[in-house]
């Protein structure tokens, strides 16, 4: 029995460690389960802070619960601030696990002896727990704070706990955290706080309602000096430094946190992300853009232009370097809070470079190719140039530099509005993409919607070898190599043309002052003179400028050249310190060749004058000029003969320029001295196929509205190839009148529909329907 009892005792002793281990495991599992089931509260929402690319605060916003609660990073604080907080609140912070047990026991003993609460022994971690879960101060709540402190220490590092502490400290009213108080009370970033200010912000949370600096400075001044003396006596800071700090005085103040680049900050705030937003804004560029825009608007406000917007992009990474949505964000009378960069407006003529770039890319045009600039009816749409003048024939380069409307609309008609609209949609024009089914030829003159952001980003492809990339608003945004929207060669040709200074959209004062930077640019003016645009670029920057009124009112002097270009020039001169060169190099595929001056095509042996023109190897058309054509004429050069009626003798061969029928007619009507072949032999009985008369009026696309009982007439007008002598007009198959080729005649209709035919003296003809509605 004795041996058996000893065995039981020995067995029990052996099982004790196992039981203790089991109990510990159960306790730990229970605590872990409780910790997971009842976690400490998450931090409250912080105010969004927007920083420039160098980490300087651009703007801050109230948190979702209407607090100025700016998250404070320890590396944004001076060492004196951290030292003051630790020395005052928790000198053993780095050593304890969240609860300072000796301090708690000492405080408990002191409170029991005193019979009241005279010491709290709260660590910084416990204070964070209390700020996350505020409640009455009782021993039960204190115990909860201890438990929460242990939980916080398990979840966060000491650095993170200290950052939470300095970010949540109550500073009076709806102000929380050192960073918030630094800006609101002292109007400076926390990194620039003085020792006195550091001490004040360490003291203020002890009684924020009494010590808040927006009500009175004296209580906080006294409490701060008291603690400065303690710091000096403890040797926390050198005595000389403390003595100097004690001489600093505070004033009653409450300032709003900074809000620079307000439209940009608002936009960044709306994007998804955290409360600390590091952006791509360059503060120096932003300040220059804001100053120049405000000054420029002040100069032109007398001309009825009250606002403007500027967007600056760094081309290398597509960083937004400056963003000015209006001239003055706080000017409510001029709608300053409207963001002009994102507002949809008519782009005027700014889209023309992209149209010609696509023609360069498909090889159909080169810079010196000739285009018609004559009155043209596009199915009822009859655009005019800005100056209401017509030039007959111009090069692509002249058409683009002078921003002529007719050549652009004719080129869009050749390419097709649908493909061009689809391309613009891929280029990022949202309004154009949404309205693509309703857009036609007028879009190239501004009959569509675009924003300054879309235009500036689109023009950046001309500086970036044809590549389109997203704008980078924040440094965390990915660098995107982009999508190839144009060939490198086409982008270069457009840039080369628009970097020339021989153009009408340069104010004379800029030329006189030699202030033009090395840039390429395009202007635009919307219908009704409501919007003035200028987009400029070089290898380093693309800058977009819009000028106008946010209420949509036009102004007599509002144009891209007069209102927007001077500001664009000032911006480049102020921002681009490396602006001595354009910085865009010619691709190897772009070379020069000899072309006919009169057509821009490869010269034939009959082309008397040639000039050098850029072309894209393997892409640009190699079609030969066919302007000069051979005619057999009589000795007086009054008639020409075809091969059917050519006499055996008495003729000579003469080369004449043969222009398109409409262009030749315009030359004749406007007295342009172009040699024309004589009429065809009227005695010839041969009939010919091929290009004949082109009826200009009436239009098959019109329905004509005539008032009953009046003698209104319809114009009959047609153009024919060179050498045509007569036009024969038929109405419903019956000869109506014989006229000279190109002569204008009139017809009084008698029914609601007719068939109009024009036949030339070579038997070629065209017929169009005429539709009439009487009212």
């Amino acid at each position: 029995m004795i041996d058996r009892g000893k065995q039981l005792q020995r067995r029990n002793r052996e099982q004790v460690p196992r039981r203790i281990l089991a109990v510990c495991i159960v306790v730990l599992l229970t605590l872990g389960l409780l910790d997971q089931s009842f976690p400490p509260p998450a931090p409250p929402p912080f105010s969004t802070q927007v920083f420039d690319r160098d980490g300087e605060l651009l703007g801050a916003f109230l948190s979702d619960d209407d607090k100025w609660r700016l998250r404070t990073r320890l590396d944004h604080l001076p060492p004196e601030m951290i030292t003051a907080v630790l020395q005052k609140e928790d000198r053993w912070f780095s050593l304890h696990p969240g609860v300072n047990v000796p301090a708690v026991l000492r405080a408990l003993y002191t409170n029991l002896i005193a019979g009241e609460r005279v010491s709290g022994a709260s660590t910084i971690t416990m204070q964070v727990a209390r700020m996350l879960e505020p409640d009455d101060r009782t021993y039960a709540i204190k115990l909860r704070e201890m438990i929460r402190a242990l939980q916080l220490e398990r979840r966060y590092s000491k650095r993170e706990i200290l950052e939470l502490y300095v970010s949540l400290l109550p500073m009076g009213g709806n102000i929380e955290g050192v960073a918030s108080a630094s800006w609101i009370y002292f109007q400076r970033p926390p990194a620039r706080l003085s020792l006195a200010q550091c001490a004040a912000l360490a003291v203020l949370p002890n009684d924020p309602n009494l010590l808040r600096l927006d009500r009175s400075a004296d209580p906080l001044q006294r409490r701060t000096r008291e603690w400065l003396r303690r710091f000096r006596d403890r040797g926390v800071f050198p005595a000389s430094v403390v003595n100097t700090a004690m001489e600093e005085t505070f004033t009653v103040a409450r300032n709003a946190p900074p809000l620079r680049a307000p439209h940009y900050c608002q936009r960044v705030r709306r994007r998804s992300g955290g409360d600390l937003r590091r952006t791509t804004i360059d503060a120096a560029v932003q300040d220059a853009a804001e100053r120049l825009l405000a000054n420029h608007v002040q100069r032109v406000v007398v001309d009825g232009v009250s606002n403007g917007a500027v967007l600056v992009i760094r081309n290398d990474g597509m960083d937004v370097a400056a963003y000015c949505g209006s001239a003055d964000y706080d000017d409510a009378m001029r709608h300053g809070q409207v963001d002009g960069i994102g507002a949809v407006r008519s782009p005027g003529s700014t889209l023309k470079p992209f149209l010609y770039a696509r023609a360069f890319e498909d090889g159909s045009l080169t810079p010196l190719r000739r285009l018609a600039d004559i009155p043209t009816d596009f199915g009822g749409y009859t655009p005019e140039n800005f100056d209401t003048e017509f030039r007959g024939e111009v090069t692509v380069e002249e058409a683009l530099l002078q921003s002529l409307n007719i050549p652009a609309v004719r080129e869009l008609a050749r390419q097709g509005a649908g493909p061009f609209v689809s391309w613009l949609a891929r280029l990022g024009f949202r309004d154009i993409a949404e309205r693509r089914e309703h857009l036609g030829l007028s879009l190239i003159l501004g009959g569509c919607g675009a924003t300054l952001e879309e235009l500036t980003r689109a023009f950046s492809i001309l500086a970036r070898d044809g590549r389109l990339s997203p704008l980078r608003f924040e440094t965390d945004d990915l660098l995107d190599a982009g999508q190839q929207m144009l060939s490198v060669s086409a982008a270069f040709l457009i840039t080369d043309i628009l970097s020339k200074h021989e153009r009408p959209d340069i104010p004379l004062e800029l030329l006189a002052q030699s202030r033009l930077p090395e840039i390429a640019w395009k202007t635009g003016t919307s219908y009704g003179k409501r919007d003035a645009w200028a987009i400029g670029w070089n290898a380093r920057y693309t800058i977009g400028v819009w000028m106008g009124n946010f209420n949509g009112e036009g102004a007599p002097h509002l144009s891209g050249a007069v209102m927007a270009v001077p500001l664009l020039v000032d911006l480049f001169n102020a921002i681009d310190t490396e602006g001595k060169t354009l910085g865009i190099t010619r691709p190897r595929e772009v070379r020069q060749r000899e072309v006919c001056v009169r057509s821009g095509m490869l010269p034939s042996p009959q082309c008397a004058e040639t000039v050098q023109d850029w072309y894209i190897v393997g892409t640009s058309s190699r079609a030969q000029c066919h302007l000069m054509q051979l005619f057999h004429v009589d000795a007086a050069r009054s008639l020409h003969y075809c091969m059917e009626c050519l006499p055996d003798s008495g003729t000579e061969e003469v080369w004449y320029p043969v222009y398109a029928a409409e262009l030749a007619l315009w030359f004749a009507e406007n007295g342009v001295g172009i040699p024309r072949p004589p009429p065809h032999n009227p005695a010839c009985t041969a009939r010919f196929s091929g290009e004949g008369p082109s009826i200009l009026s009436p239009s098959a696309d019109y329905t004509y509205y005539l008032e009953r009982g009046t003698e209104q007439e319809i114009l009959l007008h047609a153009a024919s190839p060179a050498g045509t002598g007569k036009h024969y007009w038929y109405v419903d198959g019956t000869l109506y009148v014989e006229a000279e080729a190109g002569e204008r005649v009139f017809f009084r209709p008698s029914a609601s529909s007719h068939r109009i035919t024009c036949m030339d003296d070579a038997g070629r003809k065209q017929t169009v329907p005429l539709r009439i509605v009487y009212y």
Side-chain angles (χ1 to χ4, degrees), residues 311-511:
L311 180 63
V312 181
I313 300 172
R314 291 184 187 273
N315 292 329
D316 53 358
M318 292 299 287
D319 292 353
V320 176
Y323 190 107
C324 305
S326 67
D328 184 355
Y329 182 82
D330 296 321
D331 189 345
M333 293 291 294
R334 297 176 182 170
H335 312 284
Q337 293 192 8
V338 173
D339 185 354
I341 291 175
V344 176
R345 317 284 294 195
S346 166
S349 297
T350 56
L351 299 178
K352 291 175 182 174
F354 303 116
L355 180 71
Y356 292 118
R358 283 168 54 83
F360 291 158
E361 188 170 55
D362 69 22
S364 58
L365 294 181
T366 55
L368 296 187
R369 187 70 178 268
R370 291 275 174 170
L371 302 173
D373 179 28
I374 58 176
T376 308
D377 186 333
F378 300 93
Y381 174 49
T382 55
E384 292 183 333
N385 289 322
F386 186 77
D387 58 4
T388 70
E389 300 289 334
F390 301 96
R391 292 151 182 81
E393 198 177 36
V394 293
T395 65
V396 174
E397 182 175 292
E398 290 168 340
L400 188 50
L401 285 173
Q402 298 179 48
S403 197
L404 299 179
N405 292 339
I406 307 302
V409 178
R410 291 175 70 98
E411 175 58 24
L412 181 58
R414 183 193 72 81
Q415 292 187 22
F420 186 60
V421 167
S422 296
W423 187 82
L424 291 175
R426 290 193 294 114
L427 198 58
F429 290 95
R430 292 183 295 272
D431 185 74
I432 290 176
E434 292 170 1
R435 298 175 52 214
R436 68 175 68 200
E437 300 299 327
H438 307 285
L439 296 177
L441 298 179
S442 64
L443 79 91
I444 200 63
L445 308 184
C448 56
T451 68
L452 181 60
E453 177 184 333
E454 292 169 345
L455 282 169
T456 310
R457 176 175 175 245
F459 271 89
S460 73
I461 72 173
L462 301 176
R464 304 180 71 246
D465 296 335
R467 287 180 295 107
L468 178 72
S469 294
L471 294 181
R472 293 182 71 238
F473 288 87
E474 299 180 61
T475 55
D476 289 340
D477 292 346
L478 294 177
L479 283 169
D480 191 325
Q483 178 184 6
Q484 198 72 36
M485 297 298 298
L486 279 178
S487 68
V488 178
S489 300
F492 169 80
L493 290 176
I494 293 296
T495 297
D496 181 67
I497 291 173
L498 290 176
S499 62
K500 299 182 187 304
H501 292 176
E502 300 80 15
R503 52 199 289 176
D505 60 352
I506 301 180
L508 295 178
E509 62 270 18
L510 295 182
L511 285 175

Side-chain angles (χ1 to χ4, degrees), residues 6-16 19:
K6 290 180 179 180
Q7 288 177 355
L8 288 174
Q9 291 177 356
R10 186 168 60 249
R11 190 179 303 164
N12 289 335
R13 287 197 299 269
E14 291 173 352
Q15 291 179 351
V16 167
R19 292 171 180 171

Side-chain angles (χ1 to χ4, degrees), residues 26-96:
V26 170
V27 170
L28 290 175
L29 289 174
T30 302
L31 290 176
L33 181 61
L34 290 173
D35 179 56
Q36 294 299 319
S37 302
F38 303 97
F46 286 98
S47 298
T48 299
Q49 299 180 72
V50 182
F51 300 90
D52 69 13
R53 66 175 188 166
D54 296 320
E56 295 295 323
L57 185 67
L58 288 174
F61 300 91
L62 287 168
S63 64
D64 293 343
D65 55 351
D66 293 327
K67 302 280 189 180
W68 286 114
R69 187 186 293 119
L70 277 60
R71 188 190 296 272
T72 307
R73 295 294 192 193
L74 294 188
D75 52 9
H76 292 172
L77 293 177
E80 294 82 1
M81 183 74 237
I82 299 173
T83 301
V85 167
L86 292 176
Q87 287 294 321
K88 178 180 178 298
E89 297 295 335
D90 192 351
R91 283 180 285 174
W92 304 102
F93 174 71
S94 61
L95 300 177
H96 62 65

Side-chain angles (χ1 to χ4, degrees), residues 728-737 755 757:
Y728 303 91
W729 289 95
Y730 292 81
V731 177
D732 298 328
T734 302
L735 179 65
Y736 174 70
V737 67
R755 291 186 63 79
T757 301

Side-chain angles (χ1 to χ4, degrees), residues 579-594:
K580 295 181 180 179
T581 62
L582 187 64
I584 297 176
T585 58
R586 175 175 61 87
R588 289 187 302 174
E589 294 78 15
V590 175
R591 303 178 188 174
Q592 286 195 319
R593 67 183 181 185
E594 194 174 39

Side-chain angles (χ1 to χ4, degrees), residues 18 46 143 194 210 258 321 355 362 398 538 547 575 623 636 729:
R18 297 177 185 175
F46 286 98
L143 178 60
S194 67
L210 174 66
L355 180 71
D362 69 22
E398 290 168 340
N538 59 22
M547 296 294 298
I575 292 169
W729 289 95

Side-chain angles (χ1 to χ4, degrees), residues 146-201:
M146 294 180 187
I147 296 172
R148 291 299 196 198
L150 295 173
Q151 289 181 297
L152 290 172
E153 291 276 349
R154 181 174 174 270
R155 285 169 169 76
Y156 299 100
S157 67
K158 287 289 186 179
R159 182 182 182 86
E160 290 172 332
I161 291 171
L162 188 55
E163 285 188 344
L164 273 176
Y165 178 77
V166 295
S167 300
L168 299 176
L169 285 172
M171 296 291 184
N174 68 338
I175 306 170
E176 293 184 6
V178 171
S180 304
S182 179
W183 283 110
I184 294 173
Y185 290 145
F186 300 121
Q187 214 168 6
R188 63 180 60 194
R192 292 176 50 205
L193 289 169
S194 67
L195 176 57
Q197 292 165 343
C198 289
L201 296 185

